[in-house]
Every structure is written in structure tokens, then in C-alpha cells.
Amino acid sequence: MTANVITDDQEALAVAASLAEEFRAGASARDAERRLPRAELDRLSASGLLAVTVPAEHGGADVSASTLAQIFRLLAAADASLAQIPQSHFVYVNVINRQGTEEQRKFFFAEVLGGRRFGNAQSEAGTRHVQDIRTRLHPLPDGSYRLDGVKHYCTGALFADWIPVLARAEDDKLHVAYVPRDTPGVTVIDDWDGLGQRTTASGTVRLAGVEVPADRVLPHHLTFEGPQLHGAVAQLLHAAIDTGIAGGALAEAAEFVRTKSRPWFESEVETAAEDPLLIQRFGELALQARASEALLREAARAVDAARAYLTDDSAAEASVAVAVAKVQAAQAAVDVAGALFEVAGTRSALNSLNLHRHWRDARTHTLHDPTRWKIQHIGRYVLNGTRPPRHGLL
């Protein structure tokens, strides 16, 4: 594949806006038919958007967190499934930037600039909790490794060129092994059956005796030994997806009311869009959506500020700002997508219209990690100055 190389933030945003419009047209049909977006992902790769965080010294645009968040918001407003697929891609590009050797950075950044995609094999099912990682890297006499384990919720793996695998070494420390999708012993199973985000193909990856060269393994445990933005950036993209879902649902609700809904007879108006009670409700929903957009921008600015001057304090401020944005965006996505039916009326519930995809996507995506714990960390920080933990989910 030959990929465009985006040179700056403005170009990145323009490309994202253009692709979002293109992807919006087929989003409902892809969801209804569970038609996997292979062609759309190829368009995304060829556009150069997947390489926008590659550092400038390696030929990338090295865009700001503010720009990256807006890219995801634009894509999610058009198709939340499609926007979710590259989230892990950017997370694991970030791991290379932070923990890769110069040779590893040179190799992998060239791959990304060439349009290659990273998936993920991170979460596991049936363990005690999300950080109980049982996939293992076994050292071999020649310095390479054998990788064994089973991963679930592997968004992007089915479409990936490389699958970053979270695993523990003999010393139980966390590493990321970057494994080509077609490596012997790697099996990607399309068994995702979520009620929302239907086309993410977030299925299972089985790893049986997979051989991994030493130079394809990065020491991820070092990421959390000092001030870091790994979790803040990952969560910022999740917040952007939820913000996009809320905005997309609100826009579709408004269009439906303007063009299809009938006014309630007691309103004594000619069109539903003139109903003062509906106008009031749309104002309330717009407040939720716009608050999410504003907090997303604020959180992204905090990440950019911490990136420029990374300390324990700046990292903590960025993590808390992102947590605030994520809590607001998650609530707005579920509330606005649910209210779509309230304001649009009975016809909007027709299965054939597939307007429920916004709520299904919101309800599914916001389960990714519990906002109740984010609120706890926000409260501890505000009340007692307690910095949030460095576990990668804040």
C-alpha cells in the first residue's frame, strides 16, 4: 500500500473531516448487515491519518493531542465502530515512541508511515481482573521468545498488519510483543457479537507457540515507572469517541425531527421543529453534547501541556482532566442517543431505520472501563491532592 504522508495538524483535520463525511453514508448499512469495513480501513490507511503521531524526526506530522482527539470525534460522529478500530493503533504507536530503541522506532515508524495497521491483543477473559495478564513470553536459547496465550476483545486484530500483544515475561514484568498478523501460531477469530460497535470485529486471538524475535519485544512495564501520559492519551481517544457518538446522535435526531416527525396536536404548531417542548429538550441535549466537546478540548490541552513539560504534577493534571472529560462524554453519549427516540417519536423506533445504532454503540463503548472509578480518582485529587495511579487506565 502507498500511503499519503500528512505534514501538519491542519491537513490532518481536513482529511479526517472529509473521510468522516464519506464514511457516514454507509455507516447504518454496515452496522445493520454487520459488513466489516475493510475498504474503509484501507481508505483510512491510505489517507495517512494512521501515521499522524509519528515523530517529526521520523517523517511524521507529530500532531498534538488536541488534533488527535478531534480526529476521533469526527470519525465517531460518522461511524463509532470505525472510529474504535484504530484506537489501539495509536496507543501502541505511543508505546514504540516511549519505549522503543532507536532501531525499533526507525523500523516501526516506517511501517506506520507506509500505511500498516496495528491491532491489539490486550485483554483476557476469565481472569481475576483486567490487569491479570496470563499470556506469557518464554525466553529461548537464541534470545528470541515463544508467545502463548488467549486474548479477547481484540479490536482491530482482524484487520491488522501487526498485532501488539500484552504479555508477561518470566520475571512477571509486562511487555508488548509486536507480532505480524500472519505469523504461524496466530489465530484471529471473528467471534464478536456485541449489541453495539458491531463492525469492530473485537474477537479472540489465540497464540500457540508463536516465535517472536527479541527486537520485536518492548519493555512496557517501564512506561509506568515515572510520569507518563500513556493512560491519558488512550482514555482521551475513548472520550473523543463518546463525544462523537453524542454529537452524531444529536445531529441525526435534529434531522429526523425537521424532516419526518409530526407535531403533537396539543402544540398547535405546523411542524415538530416548532414545538416549544421539543425545542426545550433539544436545548438540554445540546448542553450535554457541547459540554462534552468543551471538556474534551480542555483535556487534550492538558495532555499537550504535560507532553511539553512532563512531571508528576503535569501528568496527574492531564489524567484528571481526561477522566473528567471521559465521565461527561460517557454520560452524554448514552443520554443523547437514548433521547433520540424521545424527541423523534414513534417512527424513530422502527428497526429498519436503525437509529438505535447510536445508543447501542454508546452503551457498548462506555462499558470499556467504569466511570465510577474515574469519579473516585477525580474526587481524591480535588479534595486531598492525591495523584491518580499509574496503571494505564487514567
Side-chain angles (χ1 to χ4, degrees), residues 32-275:
E33 300 165 13
R34 198 178 177 270
R35 178 157 35 89
L36 299 182
R38 297 181 186 277
E40 289 76 15
L41 285 169
D42 285 345
R43 289 278 294 122
L44 195 62
S45 293
S47 76
L49 273 184
L50 297 184
V52 294
T53 59
V54 170
E57 61 267 29
H58 288 273
D62 200 11
V63 302
S64 66
S66 297
T67 293
L68 189 61
Q70 292 307 312
I71 288 170
F72 272 79
R73 182 187 66 80
L74 289 166
L75 293 175
D79 184 338
S81 286
L82 191 52
Q84 177 63 31
I85 292 169
Q87 190 270 345
S88 291
H89 170 92
F90 285 97
V91 168
Y92 287 104
V93 169
N94 195 33
V95 171
I96 293 166
N97 194 24
R98 185 171 174 87
Q99 299 303 338
T101 65
E102 185 55 32
E103 283 303 308
Q104 287 171 328
R105 284 158 55 92
K106 181 179 179 181
F107 173 79
F108 280 115
F109 289 152
E111 288 286 284
V112 175
L113 286 166
R116 259 68 76 186
R117 296 190 290 266
F118 294 159
N120 95 88
Q122 180 170 284
S123 294
E124 299 179 11
T127 56
R128 289 189 307 117
H129 51 69
V130 70
Q131 293 199 325
D132 182 14
I133 302 298
R134 300 182 184 180
T135 298
R136 285 294 184 266
L137 278 166
H138 306 282
L140 299 176
D142 64 359
S144 64
Y145 296 90
R146 187 186 79 245
L147 183 62
D148 295 282
V150 180
K151 297 289 189 175
H152 298 270
Y153 312 114
C154 299
T155 305
L158 190 68
F159 315 110
D161 298 287
W162 291 86
I163 303 177
V165 181
L166 208 57
R168 296 193 184 277
E170 279 195 323
D171 57 7
D172 211 39
K173 290 183 177 178
L174 205 57
H175 292 71
V176 178
Y178 288 75
V179 180
R181 164 75 176 75
D182 58 357
T183 301
V186 175
T187 304
V188 181
I189 305 168
D190 179 20
D191 57 358
W192 171 242
D193 66 347
L195 67 89
Q197 295 199 301
R198 287 177 171 176
T199 62
T200 59
S202 301
T204 301
V205 172
R206 297 186 181 277
L207 306 142
V210 178
E211 296 181 8
V212 185
D215 62 357
R216 297 296 179 260
V217 177
L218 277 69
H220 193 33
H221 59 95
L222 297 179
T223 300
F224 309 103
E225 293 185 1
Q228 49 82 35
L229 295 172
H230 176 83
V233 171
Q235 291 296 305
L236 181 70
L237 302 186
H238 285 307
I241 292 169
D242 289 339
T243 301
I245 292 172
L250 183 60
E252 187 143 13
E255 176 65 16
F256 194 94
V257 169
R258 285 192 299 265
T259 61
K260 297 181 176 65
S261 296
R262 297 184 299 177
W264 183 245
F265 70 96
E266 292 177 285
S267 67
E268 298 182 349
V269 295
E270 290 298 316
T271 68
E274 297 172 285
D275 183 335

Side-chain angles (χ1 to χ4, degrees), residues 340-378:
L340 182 155
F341 305 99
E342 170 198 340
V343 296
T346 307
R347 186 182 175 193
S348 65
L350 293 176
N351 192 56
S352 59
L353 296 177
N354 199 26
L355 293 176
H356 48 70
R357 73 185 184 280
H358 299 290
W359 183 86
R360 289 188 288 97
D361 285 341
R363 186 64 282 174
T364 302
H365 183 256
T366 55
L367 298 175
H368 191 274
D369 46 86
T371 57
R372 59 187 177 273
W373 275 99
K374 296 186 189 302
I375 294 171
Q376 279 285 311
H377 292 304
I378 294 164

Side-chain angles (χ1 to χ4, degrees), residues 259-327:
T259 61
K260 297 181 176 65
S261 296
R262 297 184 299 177
W264 183 245
F265 70 96
E266 292 177 285
S267 67
E268 298 182 349
V269 295
E270 290 298 316
T271 68
E274 297 172 285
D275 183 335
L277 298 183
L278 279 181
I279 290 171
Q280 176 73 19
R281 190 66 177 118
F282 268 96
E284 293 167 350
L285 297 174
L287 284 175
Q288 283 192 273
R290 291 196 176 199
S292 299
E293 292 171 8
L295 288 172
L296 181 68
R297 289 192 295 269
E298 180 179 315
R301 285 194 294 266
V303 171
D304 284 327
R307 181 183 174 192
Y309 183 63
L310 187 59
T311 66
D312 284 327
D313 287 337
S314 67
E317 182 60 34
S319 289
V320 170
V322 171
V324 169
K326 180 65 168 66
V327 171

Side-chain angles (χ1 to χ4, degrees), residues 15-36:
V15 170
S18 176
L19 283 178
E21 285 304 308
E22 179 182 324
F23 296 156
R24 180 177 287 108
S28 179
R30 285 192 296 273
D31 173 90
E33 300 165 13
R34 198 178 177 270
R35 178 157 35 89
L36 299 182

